[in-house]
Amino acid sequence: MHIVCNAITWSRVLRLCFFSESTIKLIFHFFPLLKPLPVTALNSHALIHRPYCALLPHLAVFPSLIRKVMGGNSPCASCKLLRRRCTKDCIFAPYFPSDDPHKFAIVHKVFGASNVSKMLQELPAHQRADAVSSLVYEATARMRDPVYGCVGAISYLQNQVSQLQMQLAVAQTEILCIQMQQEPPTLASDQQMVDADHNNPFVVNDNLGAVPQMMNFGSSSSSSGNIAQDPLKREFLWA
Amino acid sequence: MSNYTRCAACRYLRRRCCEDCTLAPFFPSTNPTRFAHVHRIFGASNVSRMLQQIPEEQRSEAADAIALEAFWRVQDPVYGSAGVISALQTEISGAQRELAETQARVAVYAARARSANAQVSADEERLGDGAGAGVYLPSNHP
């Protein structure tokens, strides 16, 4: 059963299939008769969703045109911005698709395409996606805050860590004060309580004279990111 | 002969360091590594352009921030300063958890101390009443 859709012309179909204007112009240049003709198809829905099948009979004459029309390699965002040919082994292509040109634009503005390319080439392939994400994050932070960039956020977080450590110290001192107000503990019972408390964060016993293992203020916090105590970085930050 | 020494940037780029060099105030010749990192990550022209777009009074801090970001990126080529942020956020979560636990312990200890004090007061009152009421001593009547 044939459905003739006079309202749907080839130009509209091609646009719906996300062909660029330049490609559409090229098609109509070679097939001028197509332009005013309505689409005749078994089902316009199928045509829209299988455009290549519908167009194949008309385009089979020119294989190179087919490749171009079928959307061979559309340039990645970086090659589009840099106005160069996007090769198959373009290092940016997997990470900067053409549908998000803003991402590469920011990275290029802050770091430069050649620097990003060198950085990515030095990394193993499985880490490049994460590297690109972090570069985009840094570049975005730098665009938002041209003076401090990411360092502003790091400074804020370090302040937060310091405040939390102070609050922790105050809370631990409170516990000590409460316990010192009670009966003074004997040395033997202190040692027993320290041993008992070693693996139990919550002291559950009746001996209120126990000395808690909390004298190391802040040392129990995670040591992996204790940036504030790194002397080199502290010198950088507070110089 | 001039005593003017080239800044770290011009020395690294092997060019003449003029008097109005934009990078000279921020990359002194005493610390060549600082500029090497910055040039490797951002590029000299990018840094120069970024600094020129910032008001003069804030350029020193901006240069320090750029140098720090470059340093972290050289240390961790994958995550750079984003890795530092992530580590700090982890540390904050751990510290918040520990603070909550410690404050809970404070509450437990304080409650125990209050109940112990209340018991001691009650005992003292009971003992006091017993003494005040007195043990009945019958008078020795002849």
Side-chain angles (χ1 to χ4, degrees), chain A residues 166-185:
Chain A
M166 264 192 326
Q167 289 174 12
L168 193 60
V170 165
Q172 288 167 347
T173 310
E174 268 186 56
I175 293 184
L176 267 179
C177 289
I178 290 171
Q179 295 196 340
M180 281 170 71
Q181 284 170 4
Q182 305 304 316
E183 290 179 2

PDB file of all heavy atoms in Angstrom, chain A residues 166-185:
ATOM      1  N   MET A 166      39.019  21.297  64.209  1.00  0.00           N
ATOM      2  CA  MET A 166      38.892  22.074  65.449  1.00  0.00           C
ATOM      3  C   MET A 166      37.695  21.599  66.255  1.00  0.00           C
ATOM      4  O   MET A 166      37.768  21.430  67.480  1.00  0.00           O
ATOM      5  CB  MET A 166      38.713  23.565  65.105  1.00  0.00           C
ATOM      6  CG  MET A 166      40.025  24.308  65.157  1.00  0.00           C
ATOM      7  SD  MET A 166      39.939  26.087  65.123  1.00  0.00           S
ATOM      8  CE  MET A 166      38.587  26.494  64.101  1.00  0.00           C
ATOM      9  N   GLN A 167      36.561  21.405  65.572  1.00  0.00           N
ATOM     10  CA  GLN A 167      35.358  20.946  66.261  1.00  0.00           C
ATOM     11  C   GLN A 167      35.590  19.572  66.887  1.00  0.00           C
ATOM     12  O   GLN A 167      35.114  19.276  67.991  1.00  0.00           O
ATOM     13  CB  GLN A 167      34.179  20.874  65.289  1.00  0.00           C
ATOM     14  CG  GLN A 167      33.666  22.232  64.856  1.00  0.00           C
ATOM     15  CD  GLN A 167      32.603  22.143  63.791  1.00  0.00           C
ATOM     16  OE1 GLN A 167      32.076  21.073  63.513  1.00  0.00           O
ATOM     17  NE2 GLN A 167      32.289  23.266  63.182  1.00  0.00           N
ATOM     18  N   LEU A 168      36.338  18.753  66.188  1.00  0.00           N
ATOM     19  CA  LEU A 168      36.646  17.415  66.702  1.00  0.00           C
ATOM     20  C   LEU A 168      37.496  17.528  67.951  1.00  0.00           C
ATOM     21  O   LEU A 168      37.261  16.826  68.954  1.00  0.00           O
ATOM     22  CB  LEU A 168      37.387  16.637  65.617  1.00  0.00           C
ATOM     23  CG  LEU A 168      37.542  15.133  65.792  1.00  0.00           C
ATOM     24  CD1 LEU A 168      36.181  14.491  65.863  1.00  0.00           C
ATOM     25  CD2 LEU A 168      38.336  14.554  64.639  1.00  0.00           C
ATOM     26  N   ALA A 169      38.465  18.423  67.921  1.00  0.00           N
ATOM     27  CA  ALA A 169      39.323  18.614  69.087  1.00  0.00           C
ATOM     28  C   ALA A 169      38.497  19.107  70.278  1.00  0.00           C
ATOM     29  O   ALA A 169      38.692  18.647  71.414  1.00  0.00           O
ATOM     30  CB  ALA A 169      40.438  19.608  68.756  1.00  0.00           C
ATOM     31  N   VAL A 170      37.574  20.018  70.010  1.00  0.00           N
ATOM     32  CA  VAL A 170      36.729  20.547  71.088  1.00  0.00           C
ATOM     33  C   VAL A 170      35.875  19.419  71.680  1.00  0.00           C
ATOM     34  O   VAL A 170      35.765  19.287  72.908  1.00  0.00           O
ATOM     35  CB  VAL A 170      35.824  21.685  70.548  1.00  0.00           C
ATOM     36  CG1 VAL A 170      34.698  21.992  71.511  1.00  0.00           C
ATOM     37  CG2 VAL A 170      36.658  22.939  70.282  1.00  0.00           C
ATOM     38  N   ALA A 171      35.306  18.587  70.824  1.00  0.00           N
ATOM     39  CA  ALA A 171      34.457  17.492  71.309  1.00  0.00           C
ATOM     40  C   ALA A 171      35.277  16.501  72.130  1.00  0.00           C
ATOM     41  O   ALA A 171      34.833  16.011  73.177  1.00  0.00           O
ATOM     42  CB  ALA A 171      33.803  16.786  70.121  1.00  0.00           C
ATOM     43  N   GLN A 172      36.479  16.225  71.684  1.00  0.00           N
ATOM     44  CA  GLN A 172      37.322  15.280  72.418  1.00  0.00           C
ATOM     45  C   GLN A 172      37.734  15.870  73.775  1.00  0.00           C
ATOM     46  O   GLN A 172      37.823  15.155  74.773  1.00  0.00           O
ATOM     47  CB  GLN A 172      38.553  14.928  71.579  1.00  0.00           C
ATOM     48  CG  GLN A 172      38.211  14.022  70.396  1.00  0.00           C
ATOM     49  CD  GLN A 172      39.323  13.897  69.379  1.00  0.00           C
ATOM     50  OE1 GLN A 172      40.291  14.658  69.406  1.00  0.00           O
ATOM     51  NE2 GLN A 172      39.194  12.937  68.481  1.00  0.00           N
ATOM     52  N   THR A 173      37.978  17.164  73.791  1.00  0.00           N
ATOM     53  CA  THR A 173      38.315  17.813  75.063  1.00  0.00           C
ATOM     54  C   THR A 173      37.130  17.756  76.024  1.00  0.00           C
ATOM     55  O   THR A 173      37.319  17.562  77.237  1.00  0.00           O
ATOM     56  CB  THR A 173      38.710  19.282  74.827  1.00  0.00           C
ATOM     57  OG1 THR A 173      39.682  19.348  73.797  1.00  0.00           O
ATOM     58  CG2 THR A 173      39.273  19.917  76.081  1.00  0.00           C
ATOM     59  N   GLU A 174      35.934  17.924  75.481  1.00  0.00           N
ATOM     60  CA  GLU A 174      34.729  17.843  76.317  1.00  0.00           C
ATOM     61  C   GLU A 174      34.642  16.489  76.994  1.00  0.00           C
ATOM     62  O   GLU A 174      34.312  16.392  78.176  1.00  0.00           O
ATOM     63  CB  GLU A 174      33.478  18.044  75.448  1.00  0.00           C
ATOM     64  CG  GLU A 174      33.002  19.474  75.364  1.00  0.00           C
ATOM     65  CD  GLU A 174      31.686  19.584  74.611  1.00  0.00           C
ATOM     66  OE1 GLU A 174      30.721  18.922  75.019  1.00  0.00           O
ATOM     67  OE2 GLU A 174      31.656  20.323  73.604  1.00  0.00           O
ATOM     68  N   ILE A 175      34.911  15.443  76.238  1.00  0.00           N
ATOM     69  CA  ILE A 175      34.846  14.095  76.815  1.00  0.00           C
ATOM     70  C   ILE A 175      35.869  13.967  77.937  1.00  0.00           C
ATOM     71  O   ILE A 175      35.585  13.432  79.020  1.00  0.00           O
ATOM     72  CB  ILE A 175      35.096  13.033  75.731  1.00  0.00           C
ATOM     73  CG1 ILE A 175      33.945  13.031  74.730  1.00  0.00           C
ATOM     74  CG2 ILE A 175      35.277  11.663  76.354  1.00  0.00           C
ATOM     75  CD1 ILE A 175      34.051  11.967  73.670  1.00  0.00           C
ATOM     76  N   LEU A 176      37.054  14.485  77.689  1.00  0.00           N
ATOM     77  CA  LEU A 176      38.095  14.412  78.731  1.00  0.00           C
ATOM     78  C   LEU A 176      37.658  15.142  79.990  1.00  0.00           C
ATOM     79  O   LEU A 176      37.821  14.640  81.102  1.00  0.00           O
ATOM     80  CB  LEU A 176      39.377  15.063  78.197  1.00  0.00           C
ATOM     81  CG  LEU A 176      40.390  14.138  77.538  1.00  0.00           C
ATOM     82  CD1 LEU A 176      41.574  14.943  77.063  1.00  0.00           C
ATOM     83  CD2 LEU A 176      40.823  13.035  78.475  1.00  0.00           C
ATOM     84  N   CYS A 177      37.094  16.341  79.789  1.00  0.00           N
ATOM     85  CA  CYS A 177      36.658  17.134  80.953  1.00  0.00           C
ATOM     86  C   CYS A 177      35.598  16.387  81.725  1.00  0.00           C
ATOM     87  O   CYS A 177      35.631  16.342  82.967  1.00  0.00           O
ATOM     88  CB  CYS A 177      36.106  18.489  80.491  1.00  0.00           C
ATOM     89  SG  CYS A 177      37.382  19.566  79.883  1.00  0.00           S
ATOM     90  N   ILE A 178      34.635  15.796  81.018  1.00  0.00           N
ATOM     91  CA  ILE A 178      33.564  15.077  81.702  1.00  0.00           C
ATOM     92  C   ILE A 178      34.149  13.946  82.517  1.00  0.00           C
ATOM     93  O   ILE A 178      33.771  13.712  83.673  1.00  0.00           O
ATOM     94  CB  ILE A 178      32.536  14.533  80.678  1.00  0.00           C
ATOM     95  CG1 ILE A 178      31.751  15.685  80.056  1.00  0.00           C
ATOM     96  CG2 ILE A 178      31.591  13.544  81.334  1.00  0.00           C
ATOM     97  CD1 ILE A 178      30.883  15.269  78.898  1.00  0.00           C
ATOM     98  N   GLN A 179      35.088  13.266  81.928  1.00  0.00           N
ATOM     99  CA  GLN A 179      35.629  12.107  82.630  1.00  0.00           C
ATOM    100  C   GLN A 179      36.534  12.525  83.781  1.00  0.00           C
ATOM    101  O   GLN A 179      36.612  11.821  84.790  1.00  0.00           O
ATOM    102  CB  GLN A 179      36.388  11.237  81.633  1.00  0.00           C
ATOM    103  CG  GLN A 179      35.429  10.671  80.603  1.00  0.00           C
ATOM    104  CD  GLN A 179      36.026   9.524  79.847  1.00  0.00           C
ATOM    105  OE1 GLN A 179      37.234   9.376  79.806  1.00  0.00           O
ATOM    106  NE2 GLN A 179      35.180   8.718  79.247  1.00  0.00           N
ATOM    107  N   MET A 180      37.202  13.660  83.604  1.00  0.00           N
ATOM    108  CA  MET A 180      38.048  14.099  84.708  1.00  0.00           C
ATOM    109  C   MET A 180      37.222  14.590  85.887  1.00  0.00           C
ATOM    110  O   MET A 180      37.706  14.620  87.016  1.00  0.00           O
ATOM    111  CB  MET A 180      39.000  15.205  84.232  1.00  0.00           C
ATOM    112  CG  MET A 180      40.178  14.651  83.465  1.00  0.00           C
ATOM    113  SD  MET A 180      41.150  15.914  82.642  1.00  0.00           S
ATOM    114  CE  MET A 180      41.918  16.711  84.019  1.00  0.00           C
ATOM    115  N   GLN A 181      35.992  14.987  85.653  1.00  0.00           N
ATOM    116  CA  GLN A 181      35.135  15.422  86.746  1.00  0.00           C
ATOM    117  C   GLN A 181      34.657  14.253  87.584  1.00  0.00           C
ATOM    118  O   GLN A 181      34.216  14.433  88.714  1.00  0.00           O
ATOM    119  CB  GLN A 181      33.911  16.172  86.192  1.00  0.00           C
ATOM    120  CG  GLN A 181      34.228  17.573  85.739  1.00  0.00           C
ATOM    121  CD  GLN A 181      33.073  18.191  84.988  1.00  0.00           C
ATOM    122  OE1 GLN A 181      31.999  17.589  84.881  1.00  0.00           O
ATOM    123  NE2 GLN A 181      33.281  19.384  84.472  1.00  0.00           N
ATOM    124  N   GLN A 182      34.727  13.056  87.003  1.00  0.00           N
ATOM    125  CA  GLN A 182      34.283  11.880  87.751  1.00  0.00           C
ATOM    126  C   GLN A 182      35.398  11.424  88.663  1.00  0.00           C
ATOM    127  O   GLN A 182      36.402  12.084  88.828  1.00  0.00           O
ATOM    128  CB  GLN A 182      33.897  10.753  86.770  1.00  0.00           C
ATOM    129  CG  GLN A 182      32.868  11.184  85.756  1.00  0.00           C
ATOM    130  CD  GLN A 182      31.635  11.724  86.420  1.00  0.00           C
ATOM    131  OE1 GLN A 182      31.145  11.156  87.382  1.00  0.00           O
ATOM    132  NE2 GLN A 182      31.137  12.844  85.924  1.00  0.00           N
ATOM    133  N   GLU A 183      35.194  10.249  89.268  1.00  0.00           N
ATOM    134  CA  GLU A 183      36.211   9.743  90.175  1.00  0.00           C
ATOM    135  C   GLU A 183      37.510   9.600  89.412  1.00  0.00           C
ATOM    136  O   GLU A 183      37.516   9.097  88.312  1.00  0.00           O
ATOM    137  CB  GLU A 183      35.791   8.386  90.726  1.00  0.00           C
ATOM    138  CG  GLU A 183      34.639   8.519  91.681  1.00  0.00           C
ATOM    139  CD  GLU A 183      34.248   7.149  92.180  1.00  0.00           C
ATOM    140  OE1 GLU A 183      34.902   6.157  91.798  1.00  0.00           O
ATOM    141  OE2 GLU A 183      33.286   7.080  92.942  1.00  0.00           O
ATOM    142  N   PRO A 184      38.605   9.966  90.014  1.00  0.00           N
ATOM    143  CA  PRO A 184      39.875   9.818  89.296  1.00  0.00           C
ATOM    144  C   PRO A 184      40.127   8.346  89.062  1.00  0.00           C
ATOM    145  O   PRO A 184      39.982   7.537  89.964  1.00  0.00           O
ATOM    146  CB  PRO A 184      40.912  10.419  90.241  1.00  0.00           C
ATOM    147  CG  PRO A 184      40.269  10.432  91.581  1.00  0.00           C
ATOM    148  CD  PRO A 184      38.808  10.519  91.359  1.00  0.00           C
ATOM    149  N   PRO A 185      40.466   7.979  87.855  1.00  0.00           N
ATOM    150  CA  PRO A 185      40.664   6.573  87.543  1.00  0.00           C
ATOM    151  C   PRO A 185      41.975   6.082  88.119  1.00  0.00           C
ATOM    152  O   PRO A 185      42.933   6.831  88.275  1.00  0.00           O
ATOM    153  CB  PRO A 185      40.694   6.541  86.027  1.00  0.00           C
ATOM    154  CG  PRO A 185      41.220   7.879  85.649  1.00  0.00           C
ATOM    155  CD  PRO A 185      40.703   8.833  86.700  1.00  0.00           C
TER     156      PRO A 185
END
